[in-house]
PDB file of all heavy atoms in Angstrom:
ATOM      1  N   PHE A  22      99.670 119.123  94.376  1.00  0.00           N
ATOM      2  CA  PHE A  22     100.338 119.122  95.606  1.00  0.00           C
ATOM      3  C   PHE A  22     101.657 118.452  95.446  1.00  0.00           C
ATOM      4  O   PHE A  22     101.802 117.395  94.804  1.00  0.00           O
ATOM      5  CB  PHE A  22      99.557 118.329  96.672  1.00  0.00           C
ATOM      6  CG  PHE A  22      98.339 119.173  97.267  1.00  0.00           C
ATOM      7  CD1 PHE A  22      97.181 119.117  96.763  1.00  0.00           C
ATOM      8  CD2 PHE A  22      98.663 120.127  98.335  1.00  0.00           C
ATOM      9  CE1 PHE A  22      96.144 119.937  97.323  1.00  0.00           C
ATOM     10  CE2 PHE A  22      97.644 120.749  98.807  1.00  0.00           C
ATOM     11  CZ  PHE A  22      96.384 120.768  98.426  1.00  0.00           C
ATOM     12  N   ALA A  78      79.918 126.578  76.626  1.00  0.00           N
ATOM     13  CA  ALA A  78      80.708 125.790  75.595  1.00  0.00           C
ATOM     14  C   ALA A  78      82.204 125.896  75.884  1.00  0.00           C
ATOM     15  O   ALA A  78      82.907 124.892  75.705  1.00  0.00           O
ATOM     16  CB  ALA A  78      80.398 126.264  74.185  1.00  0.00           C
ATOM     17  N   ASP A 124     116.599 109.291  92.062  1.00  0.00           N
ATOM     18  CA  ASP A 124     117.268 108.681  90.818  1.00  0.00           C
ATOM     19  C   ASP A 124     116.331 109.020  89.677  1.00  0.00           C
ATOM     20  O   ASP A 124     115.376 108.297  89.401  1.00  0.00           O
ATOM     21  CB  ASP A 124     117.439 107.177  90.960  1.00  0.00           C
ATOM     22  CG  ASP A 124     118.244 106.581  89.785  1.00  0.00           C
ATOM     23  OD1 ASP A 124     118.654 107.415  88.963  1.00  0.00           O
ATOM     24  OD2 ASP A 124     118.250 105.391  89.667  1.00  0.00           O
ATOM     25  N   VAL A 151     117.582 117.961 106.148  1.00  0.00           N
ATOM     26  CA  VAL A 151     118.859 117.983 106.850  1.00  0.00           C
ATOM     27  C   VAL A 151     120.020 118.258 105.753  1.00  0.00           C
ATOM     28  O   VAL A 151     120.780 119.179 105.965  1.00  0.00           O
ATOM     29  CB  VAL A 151     119.191 116.627 107.506  1.00  0.00           C
ATOM     30  CG1 VAL A 151     120.592 116.652 108.149  1.00  0.00           C
ATOM     31  CG2 VAL A 151     118.111 116.434 108.577  1.00  0.00           C
ATOM     32  N   LYS A 174     129.854 101.918 101.387  1.00  0.00           N
ATOM     33  CA  LYS A 174     130.502 100.694 101.051  1.00  0.00           C
ATOM     34  C   LYS A 174     131.132 100.750  99.702  1.00  0.00           C
ATOM     35  O   LYS A 174     130.337 101.020  98.660  1.00  0.00           O
ATOM     36  CB  LYS A 174     129.689  99.482 101.167  1.00  0.00           C
ATOM     37  CG  LYS A 174     129.059  99.327 102.616  1.00  0.00           C
ATOM     38  CD  LYS A 174     127.888  98.334 102.561  1.00  0.00           C
ATOM     39  CE  LYS A 174     127.255  98.375 103.973  1.00  0.00           C
ATOM     40  NZ  LYS A 174     125.959  97.922 103.948  1.00  0.00           N
ATOM     41  N   GLU A 179     135.578 100.870 103.580  1.00  0.00           N
ATOM     42  CA  GLU A 179     134.239 101.490 103.897  1.00  0.00           C
ATOM     43  C   GLU A 179     134.555 102.887 104.427  1.00  0.00           C
ATOM     44  O   GLU A 179     135.453 102.962 105.256  1.00  0.00           O
ATOM     45  CB  GLU A 179     133.605 100.632 105.040  1.00  0.00           C
ATOM     46  CG  GLU A 179     132.287 101.131 105.462  1.00  0.00           C
ATOM     47  CD  GLU A 179     131.550 100.202 106.356  1.00  0.00           C
ATOM     48  OE1 GLU A 179     130.905  99.161 105.911  1.00  0.00           O
ATOM     49  OE2 GLU A 179     131.615 100.459 107.624  1.00  0.00           O
TER      50      GLU A 179
END
Side-chain angles (χ1 to χ4, degrees):
F22 280 95
D124 184 9
V151 173
K174 300 167 189 155
E179 184 173 280

